[in-house]
Amino acid sequence: LINKYSPEVLNMYILDFESETLNVYRNAPHVGDVMISSDSEKIGNYIKVLVKEVNRRKKILSDFGGDINLYNKVHEEKIPLFITVINNYTAFAELYDEYSDYITTIFRDGIKFGVIFVVSSLGVNGIRYMQKQFFKQQICLQLNDVSEYTSVLGKLEGLVPANVQGRGLCKLDKAYEFQTAIVTSDEGVNEYLSSFCREVNSTWNGYKPAKIKILPEIVSFSNLVNEEGDFSVTRIPVGVDKNELNTCFYDLTSSYIHFVSSANDEHSSFLSVLSKALTHRNVNVKTISSTDKFGIVSKVSNVFDEVLHRNNTYKDELKAGNKAPEFDFVVVVIENLSQIFQILTDQDLEKMKLILEKGASEYNMSIIIGENVSFINSYSYEKWFKSNVRTNRVVWVGPEFENQ
């Protein structure tokens, strides 16, 4: 299959519950992932992928009678076959019985949508009868007892495969004896297959099926950017969704003031990385930090002048009947606002509150406030908080979110 078809028409996922030698196919561009018996989280997520894929194809094919072949005849961009290989289904069913109902449903409905299963079993009773009835093609290799061939394939009129390695029986219009082929005459079959898959992959630059995601223990900002591509102020990766395992994005243009909070100080490291990443991508970032006691006053004045300029310019242009002015985007990162309020004099404190009150997202400005969650409620009666803060738009960093 890998040699004959491209990944555009055939995708494959492999669950190996026996010798785990099917890992040699991992590097083939057709193969999204290879899973073994201990990959419990990945296998659970793969079942979700299967269910979603069947439902997605149902919607797409609804206008074609649910027939993938009819759809592919009239569309240049084909829907690929989605093949799941399960080596030793008996072991899979024993270890992951909680997915049995899902699997049975997909066995039944999947084939007309191009979702196909190829499974192996060590015995004739390795697959439940309810599930076995959905397999229209069954193949027998060497079995322990002659009667077992009949129980799988029905009447065989005395046909039994010769006692030769790789010999077996299948039933098409009638029963046939067949001999499986070997992929190479060399002894190193696994090395040959691994090399073959790598070679196919090196010559393929088109679509490849996605790997099955799991929730990583540590998510770095560079990991998110590398996976999802570059980002902008409208699409900043902030983490991974625990259920869907997709990258979560935050839009800095959605409002003027944004809070990044935590139960301790985790928000500080998040802001530091975010500021560096934005600066690296040529976004103008101004930082006002409580730790910068000697420079804090000048930085507050600088941002105040910028807000005042944009506020006046914006209003003057609209009053004159002109279109709204376009400003370069500026991000102001404020670390530990509560401590800054304590440091500033009354005059500078008034400037800081005016920055928070008079600015607007229409001015292409965004304020990010990093603050311990215990202090946020103390701002709720402030004029700037009521007018510019959306309490349902907060980035939480670290544990204890459920206690807030």
Side-chain angles (χ1 to χ4, degrees):
L1 293 174
I2 291 171
N3 188 49
K4 187 173 182 180
Y5 300 100
S6 79
E8 291 177 335
V9 298
L10 185 149
N11 299 163
M12 196 181 307
Y13 289 86
I14 299 173
L15 286 73
D16 192 353
F17 280 72
E18 197 171 347
S19 59
E20 301 180 6
T21 55
L22 296 185
N23 192 55
V24 296
Y25 295 103
R26 181 180 297 275
N27 291 319
H30 309 64
V31 177
D33 223 327
V34 177
M35 292 153 272
I36 61 176
S37 59
S38 59
D39 292 332
S40 56
E41 183 181 355
K42 185 175 283 190
I43 290 171
N45 292 336
Y46 180 63
I47 299 301
K48 295 178 183 178
V49 168
L50 271 174
V51 173
K52 286 183 179 180
E53 184 63 20
V54 170
N55 291 334
R56 185 184 74 87
R57 294 184 176 214
K58 278 183 181 179
K59 293 179 181 179
I60 294 174
L61 301 175
S62 60
D63 293 334
F64 297 85
D67 189 336
I68 187 174
N69 295 319
L70 182 59
Y71 178 93
N72 284 341
K73 282 181 181 179
V74 298
H75 285 82
E76 184 176 346
E77 186 175 343
K78 313 299 183 186
I79 297 178
L81 292 179
F82 194 100
I83 300 177
T84 301
V85 177
I86 304 179
N87 188 23
N88 192 358
Y89 184 82
T90 307
F92 169 78
E94 289 177 356
L95 290 171
Y96 295 98
D97 182 62
E98 66 267 31
Y99 303 127
S100 177
D101 291 341
Y102 294 107
I103 292 294
T104 301
T105 301
I106 301 172
F107 281 172
R108 182 192 66 204
D109 299 336
I111 189 167
K112 59 185 177 182
F113 304 123
V115 178
I116 298 169
F117 283 82
V118 179
V119 306
S120 71
S121 172
L122 297 180
V124 296
N125 297 317
I127 303 175
R128 298 172 185 173
Y129 174 76
M130 181 183 296
Q131 296 175 330
K132 192 186 299 183
Q133 63 181 323
F134 300 120
F135 287 82
K136 304 304 180 184
Q137 180 66 66
Q138 298 181 46
I139 298 172
C140 294
L141 293 170
Q142 297 289 329
L143 297 176
N144 294 326
D145 191 274
V146 173
S147 63
E148 291 181 335
Y149 295 107
T150 303
S151 68
V152 175
L153 299 175
K155 293 182 180 180
L156 297 174
E157 300 178 353
L159 182 63
V160 176
N163 188 21
V164 177
Q165 185 178 6
R167 194 66 61 89
L169 298 179
C170 65
K171 203 165 189 181
L172 303 174
D173 55 326
K174 63 177 183 178
Y176 291 92
E177 183 179 8
F178 68 87
Q179 174 65 45
T180 57
I182 56 174
V183 296
T184 177
S185 58
D186 298 332
E187 293 184 1
V189 175
N190 288 346
E191 291 78 6
Y192 172 84
L193 289 173
S194 293
S195 177
F196 166 73
C197 291
R198 287 194 297 269
E199 182 179 348
V200 174
N201 188 50
S202 67
T203 59
W204 177 254
N205 296 317
Y207 166 81
K208 296 179 183 180
K211 291 189 176 295
I212 302 303
K213 297 178 180 179
I214 59 174
L215 188 67
E217 291 184 10
I218 298 176
V219 180
S220 69
F221 192 82
S222 59
N223 292 148
L224 297 176
V225 173
N226 289 338
E227 182 177 341
E228 301 291 342
D230 211 347
F231 70 98
S232 66
V233 292
T234 62
R235 195 171 183 267
I236 296 176
V238 293
V240 176
D241 183 278
K242 186 177 180 180
N243 295 318
E244 299 297 328
L245 300 178
N246 296 321
T247 300
C248 298
F249 295 93
Y250 192 88
D251 182 4
L252 285 180
T253 66
S254 60
S255 61
Y256 176 55
I257 295 179
H258 313 267
F259 269 95
V260 176
S261 187
S262 65
N264 298 304
D265 295 321
E266 288 93 341
H267 61 274
S268 297
S269 58
F270 177 88
L271 284 177
S272 176
V273 173
L274 178 59
S275 298
K276 290 178 181 177
L278 289 169
T279 302
H280 182 67
R281 284 156 181 81
N282 299 318
V283 177
N284 187 359
V285 179
K286 300 177 183 293
T287 302
I288 302 175
S289 174
S290 61
T291 59
D292 184 18
K293 295 183 179 180
F294 295 104
I296 189 170
V297 173
S298 63
K299 289 182 177 180
V300 169
S301 294
N302 179 273
V303 174
F304 174 79
D305 291 341
E306 184 69 28
V307 172
L308 183 63
H309 165 70
R310 296 190 178 207
N311 178 281
N312 292 339
T313 303
Y314 187 89
K315 291 180 177 178
D316 289 345
E317 290 296 321
L318 293 185
K319 187 176 181 180
N322 300 324
K323 67 176 184 179
E326 295 183 4
F327 303 103
D328 291 336
F329 202 90
V330 174
V331 176
V332 180
V333 177
I334 302 176
E335 298 182 19
N336 300 318
L337 182 63
S338 58
Q339 295 181 27
I340 292 174
F341 278 181
Q342 294 176 7
I343 295 171
L344 296 175
T345 63
D346 290 344
Q347 183 178 357
D348 293 321
L349 179 59
E350 183 64 24
K351 285 185 178 181
M352 175 59 88
K353 291 187 176 182
L354 287 172
I355 289 172
L356 300 174
E357 180 185 338
K358 298 299 182 180
S361 57
E362 288 80 6
Y363 307 159
N364 261 9
M365 292 193 73
S366 182
I367 304 288
I368 305 176
I369 300 175
E371 186 66 278
N372 186 294
V373 66
S374 60
F375 294 102
I376 293 180
N377 282 337
S378 64
Y379 308 133
S380 59
Y381 297 103
E382 297 276 1
K383 189 175 180 180
W384 61 266
F385 190 94
K386 292 179 180 179
S387 59
N388 283 327
V389 175
R390 295 166 59 185
T391 55
N392 62 342
R393 298 283 295 177
V394 176
V395 176
W396 180 269
V397 184
E400 300 186 32
F401 177 76
E402 63 277 4
N403 297 327
Q404 304 310 315

PDB file of all heavy atoms in Angstrom, residues 12 90 109 243 339:
ATOM      1  N   MET A  12      -2.779   6.032   7.301  1.00  0.00           N
ATOM      2  CA  MET A  12      -2.743   4.823   8.106  1.00  0.00           C
ATOM      3  C   MET A  12      -2.282   5.123   9.534  1.00  0.00           C
ATOM      4  O   MET A  12      -1.375   5.932   9.754  1.00  0.00           O
ATOM      5  CB  MET A  12      -1.777   3.828   7.455  1.00  0.00           C
ATOM      6  CG  MET A  12      -1.897   2.405   7.948  1.00  0.00           C
ATOM      7  SD  MET A  12      -0.671   1.320   7.120  1.00  0.00           S
ATOM      8  CE  MET A  12      -1.001   1.673   5.393  1.00  0.00           C
ATOM      9  N   THR A  90      -7.091  -9.163  20.082  1.00  0.00           N
ATOM     10  CA  THR A  90      -7.480  -9.769  21.359  1.00  0.00           C
ATOM     11  C   THR A  90      -6.878  -9.006  22.534  1.00  0.00           C
ATOM     12  O   THR A  90      -7.567  -8.681  23.514  1.00  0.00           O
ATOM     13  CB  THR A  90      -7.021 -11.235  21.416  1.00  0.00           C
ATOM     14  OG1 THR A  90      -7.492 -11.926  20.254  1.00  0.00           O
ATOM     15  CG2 THR A  90      -7.566 -11.921  22.664  1.00  0.00           C
ATOM     16  N   ASP A 109     -20.109   1.382  10.700  1.00  0.00           N
ATOM     17  CA  ASP A 109     -20.403   2.544   9.852  1.00  0.00           C
ATOM     18  C   ASP A 109     -19.223   3.032   9.027  1.00  0.00           C
ATOM     19  O   ASP A 109     -19.403   3.728   8.024  1.00  0.00           O
ATOM     20  CB  ASP A 109     -20.892   3.714  10.723  1.00  0.00           C
ATOM     21  CG  ASP A 109     -22.161   3.382  11.475  1.00  0.00           C
ATOM     22  OD1 ASP A 109     -22.899   2.491  11.017  1.00  0.00           O
ATOM     23  OD2 ASP A 109     -22.414   4.020  12.511  1.00  0.00           O
ATOM     24  N   ASN A 243      -8.522  19.137  26.669  1.00  0.00           N
ATOM     25  CA  ASN A 243      -9.444  18.171  26.071  1.00  0.00           C
ATOM     26  C   ASN A 243      -9.180  17.958  24.589  1.00  0.00           C
ATOM     27  O   ASN A 243      -9.098  16.826  24.116  1.00  0.00           O
ATOM     28  CB  ASN A 243     -10.892  18.632  26.290  1.00  0.00           C
ATOM     29  CG  ASN A 243     -11.281  18.651  27.749  1.00  0.00           C
ATOM     30  OD1 ASN A 243     -10.937  17.742  28.502  1.00  0.00           O
ATOM     31  ND2 ASN A 243     -11.977  19.684  28.164  1.00  0.00           N
ATOM     32  N   GLN A 339       1.980  46.742  43.511  1.00  0.00           N
ATOM     33  CA  GLN A 339       3.228  47.275  44.055  1.00  0.00           C
ATOM     34  C   GLN A 339       3.590  48.608  43.403  1.00  0.00           C
ATOM     35  O   GLN A 339       4.140  49.513  44.054  1.00  0.00           O
ATOM     36  CB  GLN A 339       4.351  46.260  43.846  1.00  0.00           C
ATOM     37  CG  GLN A 339       4.148  44.965  44.625  1.00  0.00           C
ATOM     38  CD  GLN A 339       5.289  43.978  44.411  1.00  0.00           C
ATOM     39  OE1 GLN A 339       6.415  44.375  44.132  1.00  0.00           O
ATOM     40  NE2 GLN A 339       4.982  42.695  44.539  1.00  0.00           N
TER      41      GLN A 339
END
